């Protein structure tokens, strides 16, 4: 079942739900410039066995409104969009799973709208806290000095996308991006990545990738105090091969979010290949079952 949601003046979001209508609701929040289909159908199906799973296209992705150039917005507005999605589906409180930028938006919800969350699961993201990371030996690392993205990814992101890029070349570029994001431990399934991106392009109706989320204002996102006072059950997923937020970012999240606990999905990078669907879904379901 799908529907459009009016999230803000001039902003409509495409959303869809899977699973029993009377099951505990679970909201999936994808990363920057990633639409709802960034959550693989097989993974959504595993969660939908016990949840009403809602996923949606951020603004400037998929079938949602593309309007950043006319109406710029801050990243914090994307968190308010998530609240609008819950409202539209009649959900008072949901389990929330956020990946990458989606994990940051989930932290904004923890801080600003804790009454709307049953639990939160954070995957492949960094903490919205300026608190230093405490090493096991007792020394500290300032938050801003934690490791950044892998050099190969930074080089990829620095390459300008030609104005005249054709659909085939754009598809190749996206597959290469997923190869880098997946890390260097689990085998990379290029055919699966290509098939998913073909579906995303077909659903979006355009093949050129957007850049709105990279240009959006990121100020006002520090939630150090609120996260330290958190009362919502939080699960942090450690992806040891993540080239975007490598360890100790997951450990830093656990330190800065009160009551958070950590689990590891071996070999996982900054992507959702089939090999991680079962263990990741199992971890999310166990976490949500404890608090449903």
């Amino acid at each position: 079942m799908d529907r459009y949601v009016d999230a803000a003046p001039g902003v409509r979001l495409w959303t869809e739900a899977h699973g029993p209508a009377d099951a505990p609701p679970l909201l999936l929040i994808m990363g920057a410039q990633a639409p709802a289909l960034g959550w693989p159908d097989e993974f959504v199906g595993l969660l939908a066995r016990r949840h009403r799973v809602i996923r949606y296209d951020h603004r400037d992705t998929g079938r949602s409104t593309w309007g950043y150039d006319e109406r710029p917005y801050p990243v914090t507005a994307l968190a308010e969009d998530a609240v609008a999605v819950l409202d539209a589906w009649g959900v008072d409180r949901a389990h929330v799973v956020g990946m990458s930028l989606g994990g940051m938006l989930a932290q904004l919800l923890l801080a600003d709208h804790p009454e709307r969350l049953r639990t939160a699961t954070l995957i492949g993201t960094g903490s919205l806290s300026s608190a230093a990371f405490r090493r096991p030996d007792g020394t500290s690392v300032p938050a801003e000095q934690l490791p950044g993205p892998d050099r190969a990814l930074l080089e990829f992101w620095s390459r300008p996308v030609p104005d005249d890029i054709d659909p085939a070349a754009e598809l190749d570029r996206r597959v290469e991006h997923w190869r880098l994001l997946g890390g260097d431990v689990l085998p990379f399934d290029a055919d699966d990545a290509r098939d998913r991106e073909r579906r995303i392009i077909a659903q979006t109706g355009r093949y050129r990738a957007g850049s709105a989320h990279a240009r959006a204002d990121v100020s006002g996102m520090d939630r150090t105090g609120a996260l330290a006072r958190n009362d919502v059950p939080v699960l942090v997923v450690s992806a040891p091969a993540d080239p975007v937020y490598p360890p100790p970012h997951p450990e830093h999240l656990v330190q800065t979010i009160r009551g958070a606990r950590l689990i590891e999905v071996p070999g996982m990078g900054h992507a959702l290949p089939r090999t991680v669907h079962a263990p990741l879904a199992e971890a999310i379901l166990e976490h949500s079952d404890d608090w449903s």
Side-chain angles (χ1 to χ4, degrees):
M1 177 187 297
D2 69 341
R3 66 177 61 162
Y4 280 94
V5 170
D6 292 318
V11 177
R12 301 191 77 202
L13 306 178
W14 181 84
T15 72
E16 69 169 0
H18 297 261
D22 59 350
L26 186 152
L27 179 69
L28 297 174
I29 309 179
M30 240 301 144
Q33 296 304 149
L37 295 184
W39 298 102
D41 290 345
E42 299 89 342
F43 179 69
V44 172
L46 292 174
L47 298 177
R49 292 176 182 175
R50 303 215 291 268
H51 287 283
R52 179 66 156 172
V53 179
I54 302 168
R55 61 180 176 175
Y56 67 100
D57 291 342
H58 290 296
R59 355 176 152 191
D60 292 282
T61 75
R63 294 182 180 177
S64 293
T65 299
W66 289 60
Y68 183 83
D69 290 333
E70 293 76 31
R71 296 183 180 182
Y73 50 82
V75 169
T76 52
L78 299 177
E80 298 304 316
D81 286 352
V83 175
V85 171
L86 294 179
D87 289 343
W89 284 92
V91 175
D92 292 330
R93 297 173 66 231
H95 301 285
V96 172
V97 179
M99 181 165 185
S100 195
L101 176 64
M104 294 183 179
L105 301 182
Q107 291 175 69
L108 290 174
L109 297 179
L110 285 170
D112 301 344
H113 301 282
E115 74 284 355
R116 305 302 301 269
L117 277 68
R118 299 188 185 197
T119 68
T121 300
L122 310 178
I123 308 166
T125 194
S127 175
L128 297 185
S129 172
S130 57
F133 170 65
R134 302 182 302 279
R135 296 190 185 101
D137 64 6
T139 59
S140 296
V141 180
E144 63 273 15
Q145 293 181 19
L146 290 174
D150 181 81
R151 187 172 300 175
L153 259 179
L154 291 174
E155 191 277 328
F156 180 92
W157 291 338
S158 71
R159 299 177 204 163
V161 179
D163 291 337
D164 59 350
I165 191 169
D166 61 42
E170 171 61 14
L171 196 55
D172 288 342
R173 190 189 70 83
R174 295 188 186 198
V175 171
E176 174 63 10
H177 191 206
W178 282 117
R179 184 186 69 78
L180 294 170
L181 288 171
D184 57 3
V185 175
L186 299 178
F188 176 61
D189 188 338
D191 291 337
D192 182 61
R194 189 176 297 275
D195 288 345
R196 186 166 63 254
E197 288 301 324
R198 282 197 184 102
R199 289 187 60 215
I200 288 172
I201 290 171
Q203 166 140 326
T204 302
R206 62 178 79 191
Y207 69 87
R208 287 190 62 88
S211 61
H213 299 167
R215 293 183 284 144
D217 182 4
V218 296
S219 63
M221 292 179 62
D222 189 302
R223 294 293 187 275
T224 301
L227 294 176
R229 296 187 298 271
N230 170 68
D231 287 324
V232 176
V234 174
L235 177 67
V236 175
V237 176
S238 176
D242 189 337
V244 182
Y245 290 102
H249 281 280
E251 291 80 3
H252 186 230
L253 278 163
V254 171
Q255 289 181 5
T256 57
I257 302 175
R258 181 177 179 233
R261 64 186 183 92
L262 185 72
I263 65 103
E264 179 180 303
V265 177
M268 185 175 174
H270 200 79
L272 297 171
R274 284 194 175 94
T275 46
V276 308
H277 291 179
L280 182 59
E282 181 180 0
I284 293 170
L285 291 172
E286 287 182 359
H287 179 56
S288 62
D289 283 353
D290 289 341
W291 304 95
S292 289

